[in-house]
Amino acid sequence: MTADLPGLSIIKPGFMTLLQDSGRRGVMHQGLACGGPMDRHAWAWANRLVGNPWHTAALEVSFGGFECMAETHLQIAITGADSSLHINGSPQPRWTALNINPGDRLVLGHPASGVRVYLAVEGGFALTSGLGGSNSTLVREGTGGLRGDGSALQAGDHLPCNTVKSHGIQRQMPEQWLPDYTAPLVLDVIMGAQLDRFPSSTLHRFFSSCYTLTPRSDRMGARLSGPVLEHHGVTLISEGISLGAIQVPADGQPIILLQDRQTVGGYPKLGAVTPRSLDALAQRMPGSEIRFRPIALHEAQEQEKRFLAFFQGQ
């Protein structure tokens, strides 16, 4: 990290603000989580709007209440949750590139809808690459982030930014593409290899019922409350766990495993929520209602291919 470079000075970090790039790869065999942004869609758009490549780290601000000051001329983009954005007390648009000057103060309010806001800076932050080539913050493991110890940003932190000689064009997301974080949430599910452990009555109950996102949810997993899901057999021998896996523990209440999940587990898995659906889930407050629908594997793969082609092929 080049600490002497100017960048952003953190005044108020809010409830939890983390550095997140696209996550670590090739580390799960070591028992390490991948990390990365909870809402890849909003994170990727923040970087795209300022012309950054895919892996560039951005700030993930949960529940707003964030304030920082620019130490140099920067181009930034704010995406994600519907938090008010003010620069020097003047309201500013989100989902667009903004040029800011030394001494400018940026304030994010608490979101009216959604949970997580993403702040990207043109050129990215000047950070030394961490474990697995990633700076993603994993609080549980004590890795990544500004100090490399998994800690969230704190008041007084200095985030150095890579030097950009001339700022690029001021891109803006087309209005018709803006996500609606208040819309009814239906998550796509790829059926799993342990499907035979769940009776047909359980599967019918799961796909025809409404579940509620509980306050016990975090970056490791989304814990749900709703109709109990019965399954056959005893606990499995622990095995690798994929992103979005729907574990069903003994109490029958499903848990959707997320970016900071453990790498192995022994609960039966009904299936997995698709990555694109996880983006929408990441922006729902506790108490939100959730429904599910099955999706074919090839359809989920096509969704992911289109998503990656759009953001990685810029």
Coordinates of all heavy atoms in Angstrom, one line a residue, residues 59-152:
L59 N -15.6 0.2 -1.9 CA -16.1 0.2 -0.5 C -17.6 -0.3 -0.5 O -18.4 0.1 -1.3 CB -16.1 1.6 0.1 CG -14.8 2.3 0.2 CD1 -14.9 3.6 1.0 CD2 -13.8 1.4 0.9
E60 N -17.8 -1.2 0.4 CA -19.2 -1.8 0.7 C -19.7 -1.2 2.0 O -19.1 -1.5 3.1 CB -19.2 -3.3 0.7 CG -20.5 -3.9 1.0 CD -20.5 -5.4 1.1 OE1 -20.3 -5.9 2.2 OE2 -20.6 -6.1 0.0
V61 N -20.6 -0.2 1.9 CA -21.1 0.5 3.1 C -22.5 -0.1 3.5 O -23.4 0.0 2.7 CB -21.2 2.0 2.8 CG1 -21.7 2.7 4.0 CG2 -19.9 2.6 2.3
S62 N -22.5 -0.8 4.6 CA -23.8 -1.4 5.0 C -24.6 -0.4 6.0 O -24.0 0.1 6.9 CB -23.5 -2.7 5.8 OG -22.9 -3.6 4.9
F63 N -25.8 -0.2 5.6 CA -26.8 0.6 6.4 C -26.4 2.1 6.5 O -27.0 2.8 7.3 CB -26.9 0.0 7.8 CG -27.4 -1.4 7.8 CD1 -26.6 -2.4 8.1 CD2 -28.8 -1.7 7.6 CE1 -27.0 -3.8 8.1 CE2 -29.2 -3.0 7.6 CZ -28.4 -4.0 7.9
G64 N -25.6 2.6 5.6 CA -25.3 4.0 5.5 C -24.6 4.6 6.7 O -23.9 4.0 7.4
G65 N -24.9 5.9 6.9 CA -24.2 6.7 8.0 C -22.7 6.9 7.8 O -22.0 7.0 8.7
F66 N -22.3 7.0 6.5 CA -20.9 7.1 6.1 C -20.5 8.5 5.7 O -21.3 9.2 5.0 CB -20.7 6.1 5.0 CG -19.3 6.2 4.4 CD1 -18.2 5.4 4.9 CD2 -19.0 7.0 3.2 CE1 -17.0 5.5 4.3 CE2 -17.8 7.0 2.7 CZ -16.7 6.2 3.2
E67 N -19.3 8.9 6.1 CA -18.8 10.3 5.7 C -17.3 10.2 5.4 O -16.6 9.6 6.2 CB -19.2 11.3 6.8 CG -18.7 12.7 6.4 CD -19.2 13.7 7.4 OE1 -19.9 13.4 8.3 OE2 -18.7 14.9 7.3
C68 N -16.9 10.8 4.3 CA -15.5 10.9 4.0 C -15.1 12.2 3.4 O -16.0 12.9 3.0 CB -15.0 9.7 3.2 SG -15.7 9.8 1.5
M69 N -13.8 12.5 3.3 CA -13.4 13.7 2.6 C -12.3 13.4 1.6 O -11.5 12.5 1.8 CB -12.7 14.7 3.7 CG -12.3 16.0 3.1 SD -11.5 17.1 4.3 CE -10.0 16.3 4.5
A70 N -12.4 14.0 0.4 CA -11.5 13.8 -0.7 C -10.2 14.6 -0.4 O -10.3 15.8 0.1 CB -12.1 14.3 -2.0
E71 N -9.1 14.0 -0.6 CA -7.8 14.7 -0.4 C -7.2 15.1 -1.8 O -6.1 15.8 -1.8 CB -6.8 13.7 0.3 CG -7.3 13.3 1.7 CD -6.5 12.2 2.2 OE1 -5.8 11.5 1.5 OE2 -6.6 12.0 3.5
T72 N -7.8 14.7 -2.9 CA -7.3 15.1 -4.2 C -8.5 15.1 -5.2 O -9.6 14.8 -4.8 CB -6.2 14.0 -4.6 OG1 -5.7 14.4 -5.9 CG2 -6.8 12.6 -4.8
H73 N -8.2 15.4 -6.4 CA -9.3 15.3 -7.5 C -9.5 13.8 -7.8 O -8.6 13.1 -8.1 CB -8.8 16.0 -8.7 CG -8.6 17.5 -8.5 ND1 -9.6 18.4 -8.5 CD2 -7.4 18.2 -8.3 CE1 -9.1 19.6 -8.3 NE2 -7.8 19.6 -8.2
L74 N -10.8 13.5 -7.7 CA -11.2 12.1 -7.9 C -12.5 12.0 -8.7 O -13.3 12.9 -8.7 CB -11.5 11.4 -6.6 CG -10.3 11.2 -5.6 CD1 -10.8 10.8 -4.2 CD2 -9.3 10.3 -6.1
Q75 N -12.6 10.9 -9.4 CA -13.9 10.6 -10.0 C -14.5 9.3 -9.2 O -13.7 8.3 -9.1 CB -13.8 10.2 -11.5 CG -15.2 10.0 -12.1 CD -15.2 9.8 -13.6 OE1 -15.0 8.7 -14.0 NE2 -15.4 10.9 -14.4
I76 N -15.7 9.4 -8.8 CA -16.3 8.4 -8.0 C -17.6 8.0 -8.5 O -18.2 8.7 -9.4 CB -16.5 8.8 -6.5 CG1 -17.5 10.0 -6.4 CG2 -15.1 9.2 -5.9 CD1 -18.0 10.3 -5.0
A77 N -18.1 6.8 -8.1 CA -19.5 6.4 -8.4 C -20.1 5.7 -7.2 O -19.4 5.0 -6.5 CB -19.5 5.5 -9.6
I78 N -21.3 6.0 -6.9 CA -22.1 5.5 -5.8 C -23.3 4.7 -6.3 O -24.1 5.2 -7.1 CB -22.6 6.6 -4.8 CG1 -21.5 7.5 -4.4 CG2 -23.4 6.0 -3.7 CD1 -20.6 6.9 -3.4
T79 N -23.3 3.4 -6.0 CA -24.4 2.5 -6.4 C -25.0 1.8 -5.3 O -24.5 1.9 -4.1 CB -23.9 1.5 -7.5 OG1 -22.9 0.7 -6.9 CG2 -23.3 2.3 -8.7
G80 N -26.0 1.0 -5.5 CA -26.6 0.1 -4.5 C -27.8 0.7 -3.8 O -28.6 1.4 -4.4
A81 N -27.8 0.5 -2.5 CA -29.0 0.9 -1.7 C -29.4 2.4 -1.9 O -28.5 3.2 -2.2 CB -28.7 0.7 -0.2
D82 N -30.6 2.7 -1.7 CA -31.2 4.0 -1.9 C -30.9 4.9 -0.7 O -31.8 5.3 0.1 CB -32.7 3.9 -2.2 CG -33.3 5.3 -2.5 OD1 -32.5 6.2 -2.8 OD2 -34.5 5.4 -2.5
S83 N -29.6 5.3 -0.6 CA -29.2 6.2 0.5 C -29.0 7.6 -0.1 O -28.5 7.7 -1.3 CB -27.8 5.8 1.1 OG -27.9 4.5 1.7
S84 N -29.4 8.6 0.6 CA -29.2 10.0 0.1 C -27.7 10.2 0.0 O -26.9 9.7 0.8 CB -29.8 11.0 1.1 OG -29.2 10.9 2.4
L85 N -27.3 11.0 -1.0 CA -25.9 11.3 -1.2 C -25.7 12.8 -1.3 O -26.4 13.5 -2.1 CB -25.4 10.7 -2.5 CG -24.0 11.1 -3.1 CD1 -22.9 10.8 -2.1 CD2 -23.7 10.5 -4.4
H86 N -24.9 13.4 -0.4 CA -24.6 14.8 -0.4 C -23.1 15.0 -0.5 O -22.3 14.3 0.2 CB -25.2 15.5 0.8 CG -26.7 15.5 0.9 ND1 -27.5 14.5 1.3 CD2 -27.5 16.6 0.6 CE1 -28.7 14.8 1.2 NE2 -28.8 16.1 0.8
I87 N -22.7 16.0 -1.3 CA -21.3 16.4 -1.4 C -21.3 17.9 -1.0 O -22.0 18.7 -1.7 CB -20.7 16.2 -2.8 CG1 -20.7 14.7 -3.1 CG2 -19.3 16.8 -2.9 CD1 -20.2 14.3 -4.5
N88 N -20.6 18.2 0.1 CA -20.6 19.6 0.6 C -22.0 20.1 0.9 O -22.3 21.3 0.7 CB -19.9 20.5 -0.3 CG -18.4 20.1 -0.5 OD1 -17.8 19.6 0.4 ND2 -17.9 20.4 -1.7
G89 N -22.9 19.2 1.3 CA -24.3 19.6 1.7 C -25.2 19.6 0.5 O -26.4 19.8 0.7
S90 N -24.8 19.4 -0.7 CA -25.6 19.5 -1.9 C -26.0 18.1 -2.4 O -25.1 17.2 -2.5 CB -24.9 20.2 -3.0 OG -25.6 20.2 -4.2
P91 N -27.3 17.8 -2.6 CA -27.7 16.4 -3.0 C -27.1 16.1 -4.4 O -27.0 17.0 -5.3 CB -29.2 16.5 -3.1 CG -29.5 17.9 -3.2 CD -28.4 18.7 -2.5
Q92 N -26.7 14.9 -4.6 CA -26.0 14.4 -5.8 C -26.7 13.1 -6.3 O -27.2 12.3 -5.5 CB -24.5 14.2 -5.6 CG -23.8 15.4 -5.2 CD -23.7 16.5 -6.2 OE1 -23.7 16.2 -7.4 NE2 -23.8 17.7 -5.8
P93 N -26.7 12.8 -7.6 CA -27.3 11.6 -8.1 C -26.4 10.4 -7.8 O -25.1 10.5 -7.7 CB -27.4 11.9 -9.6 CG -26.2 12.8 -9.9 CD -26.1 13.7 -8.6
R94 N -27.0 9.2 -7.7 CA -26.3 8.0 -7.6 C -26.3 7.3 -9.0 O -26.9 7.8 -9.9 CB -26.9 7.1 -6.5 CG -26.9 7.7 -5.1 CD -27.7 6.9 -4.1 NE -29.0 6.7 -4.5 CZ -29.5 5.5 -4.9 NH1 -28.7 4.4 -4.8 NH2 -30.8 5.3 -5.3
W95 N -25.6 6.2 -9.1 CA -25.5 5.4 -10.3 C -25.0 6.3 -11.5 O -25.4 6.1 -12.6 CB -26.8 4.8 -10.7 CG -27.4 3.8 -9.7 CD1 -28.2 4.1 -8.6 CD2 -27.2 2.4 -9.6 NE1 -28.5 3.0 -7.9 CE2 -27.9 1.9 -8.4 CE3 -26.4 1.5 -10.3 CZ2 -27.8 0.6 -8.0 CZ3 -26.4 0.2 -10.0 CH2 -27.1 -0.3 -8.8
T96 N -24.1 7.2 -11.1 CA -23.4 8.0 -12.2 C -22.0 8.4 -11.7 O -21.8 8.4 -10.5 CB -24.3 9.3 -12.4 OG1 -23.7 10.0 -13.5 CG2 -24.3 10.2 -11.2
A97 N -21.1 8.7 -12.6 CA -19.8 9.1 -12.2 C -19.8 10.6 -11.9 O -20.4 11.4 -12.5 CB -18.8 8.9 -13.4
L98 N -19.1 10.9 -10.8 CA -19.1 12.3 -10.2 C -17.6 12.7 -10.0 O -16.8 11.9 -9.5 CB -19.8 12.4 -8.9 CG -21.3 12.0 -8.9 CD1 -21.8 11.8 -7.5 CD2 -22.1 13.0 -9.7
N99 N -17.3 13.9 -10.4 CA -16.0 14.5 -10.2 C -16.0 15.2 -8.9 O -16.8 16.1 -8.7 CB -15.5 15.4 -11.3 CG -15.3 14.6 -12.6 OD1 -14.9 13.4 -12.6 ND2 -15.5 15.2 -13.8
I100 N -15.0 14.9 -8.0 CA -15.0 15.7 -6.7 C -13.6 16.3 -6.5 O -12.6 15.8 -7.2 CB -15.3 14.8 -5.5 CG1 -14.4 13.6 -5.4 CG2 -16.8 14.3 -5.6 CD1 -14.7 12.7 -4.2
N101 N -13.5 17.3 -5.7 CA -12.3 18.1 -5.6 C -11.7 17.9 -4.2 O -12.4 17.5 -3.2 CB -12.6 19.5 -5.8 CG -13.1 19.7 -7.2 OD1 -12.6 19.3 -8.2 ND2 -14.3 20.4 -7.3
P102 N -10.4 18.3 -4.0 CA -9.8 18.2 -2.6 C -10.6 19.0 -1.6 O -11.0 20.2 -1.9 CB -8.4 18.9 -2.9 CG -8.1 18.6 -4.3 CD -9.4 18.7 -5.0
G103 N -10.9 18.4 -0.5 CA -11.6 19.1 0.6 C -13.1 18.8 0.5 O -13.8 19.1 1.5
D104 N -13.6 18.2 -0.6 CA -15.0 17.9 -0.7 C -15.4 16.8 0.3 O -14.7 15.9 0.5 CB -15.4 17.4 -2.1 CG -15.5 18.5 -3.1 OD1 -15.4 19.7 -2.7 OD2 -15.6 18.2 -4.3
R105 N -16.6 17.0 1.0 CA -17.1 16.1 2.0 C -18.3 15.3 1.4 O -19.2 15.9 0.9 CB -17.5 16.8 3.2 CG -16.3 17.2 4.1 CD -16.7 17.5 5.5 NE -15.5 17.8 6.3 CZ -15.5 17.5 7.6 NH1 -16.5 16.9 8.2 NH2 -14.4 17.8 8.3
L106 N -18.2 14.0 1.4 CA -19.2 13.1 0.9 C -19.9 12.5 2.1 O -19.3 11.9 3.0 CB -18.6 12.1 0.0 CG -19.5 11.1 -0.7 CD1 -18.8 10.6 -2.0 CD2 -19.8 9.9 0.2
V107 N -21.3 12.6 2.1 CA -22.1 12.0 3.2 C -23.2 11.1 2.6 O -23.9 11.5 1.7 CB -22.7 13.1 4.0 CG1 -23.6 12.5 5.1 CG2 -21.7 14.0 4.7
L108 N -23.2 9.9 3.1 CA -24.3 8.9 2.8 C -25.2 8.8 3.9 O -24.8 8.5 5.0 CB -23.7 7.6 2.4 CG -23.0 7.4 1.1 CD1 -22.2 6.1 1.0 CD2 -24.0 7.5 -0.1
G109 N -26.5 9.0 3.7 CA -27.5 8.8 4.7 C -27.9 7.3 4.9 O -27.3 6.4 4.2
H110 N -28.8 7.0 5.8 CA -29.3 5.7 5.9 C -30.3 5.3 4.8 O -31.1 6.2 4.4 CB -29.9 5.5 7.3 CG -29.0 5.8 8.4 ND1 -28.0 5.0 8.8 CD2 -28.9 6.9 9.3 CE1 -27.3 5.5 9.8 NE2 -27.8 6.6 10.1
P111 N -30.2 4.1 4.3 CA -31.0 3.8 3.1 C -32.5 3.8 3.3 O -33.0 3.3 4.3 CB -30.5 2.4 2.7 CG -29.9 1.8 3.9 CD -29.4 3.0 4.7
A112 N -33.2 4.3 2.3 CA -34.7 4.2 2.3 C -35.1 2.8 1.8 O -36.2 2.3 2.2 CB -35.3 5.3 1.4
S113 N -34.3 2.2 1.0 CA -34.5 0.8 0.5 C -33.1 0.3 0.2 O -32.2 1.0 -0.2 CB -35.4 0.8 -0.7 OG -34.8 1.4 -1.8
G114 N -33.0 -1.0 0.3 CA -31.7 -1.7 0.2 C -30.9 -1.6 1.4 O -31.3 -1.0 2.4
V115 N -29.8 -2.3 1.4 CA -28.9 -2.4 2.6 C -27.5 -1.9 2.3 O -26.9 -1.2 3.2 CB -28.8 -3.9 3.0 CG1 -27.8 -4.1 4.2 CG2 -30.2 -4.4 3.4
R116 N -26.9 -2.2 1.1 CA -25.5 -2.0 0.9 C -25.3 -1.0 -0.2 O -25.9 -1.1 -1.3 CB -24.8 -3.3 0.6 CG -24.8 -4.2 1.8 CD -24.4 -5.6 1.5 NE -24.3 -6.4 2.7 CZ -25.3 -7.1 3.2 NH1 -26.4 -7.2 2.6 NH2 -25.1 -7.8 4.3
V117 N -24.4 0.0 0.0 CA -24.0 1.0 -0.9 C -22.6 0.7 -1.3 O -21.8 0.2 -0.5 CB -24.1 2.4 -0.3 CG1 -23.5 3.4 -1.3 CG2 -25.5 2.8 0.0
Y118 N -22.3 0.9 -2.6 CA -20.9 0.7 -3.1 C -20.3 2.0 -3.6 O -21.0 2.7 -4.4 CB -20.9 -0.4 -4.2 CG -21.2 -1.7 -3.6 CD1 -22.6 -2.1 -3.5 CD2 -20.3 -2.6 -3.1 CE1 -22.9 -3.3 -2.9 CE2 -20.6 -3.8 -2.5 CZ -21.9 -4.2 -2.4 OH -22.2 -5.4 -1.8
L119 N -19.1 2.3 -3.2 CA -18.3 3.5 -3.6 C -17.1 3.1 -4.3 O -16.2 2.4 -3.7 CB -18.0 4.4 -2.4 CG -17.4 5.7 -2.6 CD1 -17.6 6.6 -1.4 CD2 -16.0 5.7 -3.0
A120 N -17.0 3.4 -5.6 CA -15.8 3.1 -6.4 C -15.1 4.4 -6.8 O -15.7 5.4 -7.0 CB -16.1 2.3 -7.6
V121 N -13.8 4.3 -6.8 CA -12.9 5.5 -7.2 C -12.2 5.1 -8.5 O -11.6 4.0 -8.6 CB -11.9 5.8 -6.1 CG1 -11.0 6.9 -6.5 CG2 -12.6 6.2 -4.8
E122 N -12.2 6.0 -9.5 CA -11.5 5.8 -10.7 C -10.0 5.5 -10.4 O -9.4 6.2 -9.7 CB -11.6 7.0 -11.6 CG -10.9 6.9 -13.0 CD -10.9 8.1 -13.8 OE1 -11.3 9.2 -13.2 OE2 -10.6 8.1 -15.0
G123 N -9.5 4.4 -11.0 CA -8.2 4.0 -10.8 C -8.0 3.1 -9.6 O -7.0 2.4 -9.5
G124 N -9.0 3.0 -8.7 CA -8.9 2.1 -7.6 C -8.1 2.7 -6.5 O -7.4 3.7 -6.6
F125 N -8.1 1.9 -5.4 CA -7.3 2.3 -4.2 C -5.9 1.7 -4.3 O -5.8 0.6 -4.9 CB -8.0 1.8 -2.9 CG -9.4 2.4 -2.7 CD1 -10.5 1.6 -2.8 CD2 -9.5 3.7 -2.4 CE1 -11.7 2.1 -2.6 CE2 -10.8 4.2 -2.2 CZ -11.9 3.4 -2.3
A126 N -4.9 2.4 -3.8 CA -3.5 1.9 -3.9 C -3.3 1.0 -2.8 O -2.8 1.4 -1.7 CB -2.6 3.1 -3.9
L127 N -3.5 -0.3 -3.0 CA -3.4 -1.3 -2.0 C -2.4 -2.4 -2.4 O -2.3 -2.7 -3.6 CB -4.7 -2.0 -1.7 CG -5.9 -1.1 -1.4 CD1 -7.2 -1.8 -1.4 CD2 -5.7 -0.5 0.0
T128 N -1.7 -3.0 -1.4 CA -0.8 -4.1 -1.7 C -1.7 -5.4 -1.7 O -2.5 -5.6 -0.9 CB 0.2 -4.3 -0.6 OG1 1.0 -3.1 -0.5 CG2 1.1 -5.5 -0.8
S129 N -1.5 -6.1 -2.8 CA -2.3 -7.3 -3.0 C -2.2 -8.3 -1.8 O -1.1 -8.5 -1.3 CB -2.0 -8.0 -4.3 OG -2.8 -9.1 -4.5
G130 N -3.3 -8.8 -1.3 CA -3.3 -9.7 -0.2 C -3.4 -11.1 -0.5 O -3.1 -11.5 -1.7
L131 N -3.9 -11.9 0.4 CA -4.0 -13.4 0.2 C -4.8 -13.8 -1.0 O -5.9 -13.2 -1.1 CB -4.5 -14.0 1.5 CG -4.6 -15.5 1.6 CD1 -3.2 -16.1 1.6 CD2 -5.4 -15.9 2.8
G132 N -4.3 -14.6 -1.8 CA -5.1 -15.1 -3.0 C -5.2 -14.0 -4.0 O -6.2 -14.0 -4.8
G133 N -4.4 -12.9 -3.9 CA -4.4 -11.8 -4.9 C -5.6 -10.9 -4.6 O -6.0 -10.2 -5.5
S134 N -6.2 -10.9 -3.4 CA -7.4 -10.2 -3.1 C -7.2 -9.3 -1.9 O -6.5 -9.7 -0.9 CB -8.6 -11.1 -2.9 OG -9.7 -10.5 -2.4
N135 N -7.9 -8.2 -1.8 CA -8.0 -7.3 -0.7 C -9.3 -7.4 0.0 O -9.6 -6.6 0.9 CB -7.6 -5.9 -1.0 CG -6.2 -5.7 -1.5 OD1 -5.9 -5.4 -2.6 ND2 -5.3 -5.9 -0.5
S136 N -10.2 -8.3 -0.4 CA -11.5 -8.4 0.2 C -11.4 -8.6 1.7 O -10.6 -9.5 2.2 CB -12.3 -9.6 -0.5 OG -12.9 -9.1 -1.7
T137 N -12.2 -7.9 2.4 CA -12.2 -8.0 3.9 C -13.0 -9.2 4.4 O -14.2 -9.3 4.1 CB -12.8 -6.7 4.5 OG1 -12.1 -5.6 3.9 CG2 -12.6 -6.7 6.0
L138 N -12.4 -10.1 5.2 CA -13.1 -11.2 5.8 C -12.9 -11.0 7.3 O -11.9 -11.4 7.8 CB -12.6 -12.5 5.3 CG -13.2 -12.9 3.9 CD1 -12.1 -12.6 2.8 CD2 -13.7 -14.3 3.8
V139 N -13.9 -10.5 8.0 CA -13.8 -10.2 9.4 C -13.6 -11.5 10.2 O -12.8 -11.5 11.1 CB -15.1 -9.4 9.9 CG1 -15.0 -9.2 11.4 CG2 -15.2 -8.1 9.1
R140 N -14.4 -12.5 9.9 CA -14.3 -13.8 10.6 C -12.9 -14.4 10.6 O -12.5 -15.0 11.6 CB -15.4 -14.7 10.1 CG -15.4 -16.1 10.8 CD -16.5 -17.0 10.2 NE -16.5 -17.2 8.8 CZ -15.8 -18.2 8.2 NH1 -15.2 -19.0 8.9 NH2 -15.8 -18.3 6.9
E141 N -12.3 -14.3 9.5 CA -11.0 -14.9 9.3 C -9.8 -14.0 9.7 O -8.7 -14.4 9.7 CB -10.8 -15.4 7.8 CG -11.7 -16.5 7.5 CD -11.5 -17.0 6.0 OE1 -10.7 -16.4 5.3 OE2 -12.2 -17.9 5.6
G142 N -10.1 -12.7 9.8 CA -9.1 -11.7 10.1 C -8.1 -11.5 9.0 O -6.9 -11.3 9.2
T143 N -8.6 -11.5 7.8 CA -7.8 -11.3 6.6 C -8.4 -10.2 5.7 O -9.6 -9.9 5.7 CB -7.6 -12.6 5.8 OG1 -8.9 -13.0 5.4 CG2 -6.9 -13.6 6.6
G144 N -7.5 -9.6 4.9 CA -7.9 -8.6 3.9 C -8.2 -7.2 4.6 O -8.1 -7.0 5.8
G145 N -8.7 -6.3 3.7 CA -9.0 -5.0 4.2 C -7.8 -4.0 4.2 O -6.7 -4.4 3.7
L146 N -8.0 -2.8 4.7 CA -7.0 -1.8 4.6 C -5.7 -2.2 5.4 O -4.6 -2.0 4.9 CB -7.5 -0.5 5.2 CG -6.6 0.7 5.3 CD1 -6.2 1.1 3.8 CD2 -7.3 1.9 6.0
R147 N -5.9 -2.9 6.6 CA -4.7 -3.2 7.4 C -4.3 -4.7 7.2 O -3.4 -5.2 7.9 CB -5.1 -3.0 8.9 CG -5.0 -1.5 9.2 CD -5.6 -1.2 10.6 NE -7.1 -1.3 10.5 CZ -7.9 -0.3 10.1 NH1 -7.3 0.9 9.8 NH2 -9.2 -0.4 10.1
G148 N -5.1 -5.4 6.4 CA -4.8 -6.8 6.2 C -5.2 -7.8 7.3 O -4.9 -8.9 7.3
D149 N -5.9 -7.2 8.3 CA -6.3 -8.0 9.4 C -7.8 -8.3 9.5 O -8.3 -8.7 10.5 CB -5.9 -7.3 10.7 CG -6.5 -5.9 10.9 OD1 -7.3 -5.5 10.0 OD2 -6.2 -5.3 11.9
G150 N -8.5 -8.0 8.4 CA -10.0 -8.3 8.4 C -10.8 -7.3 9.1 O -12.0 -7.5 9.2
S151 N -10.3 -6.1 9.5 CA -11.1 -5.2 10.3 C -11.8 -4.2 9.3 O -11.3 -3.9 8.2 CB -10.2 -4.4 11.2 OG -9.2 -3.7 10.5
A152 N -13.0 -3.8 9.8 CA -13.7 -2.8 9.0 C -13.0 -1.4 9.1 O -12.1 -1.2 9.9 CB -15.1 -2.7 9.6

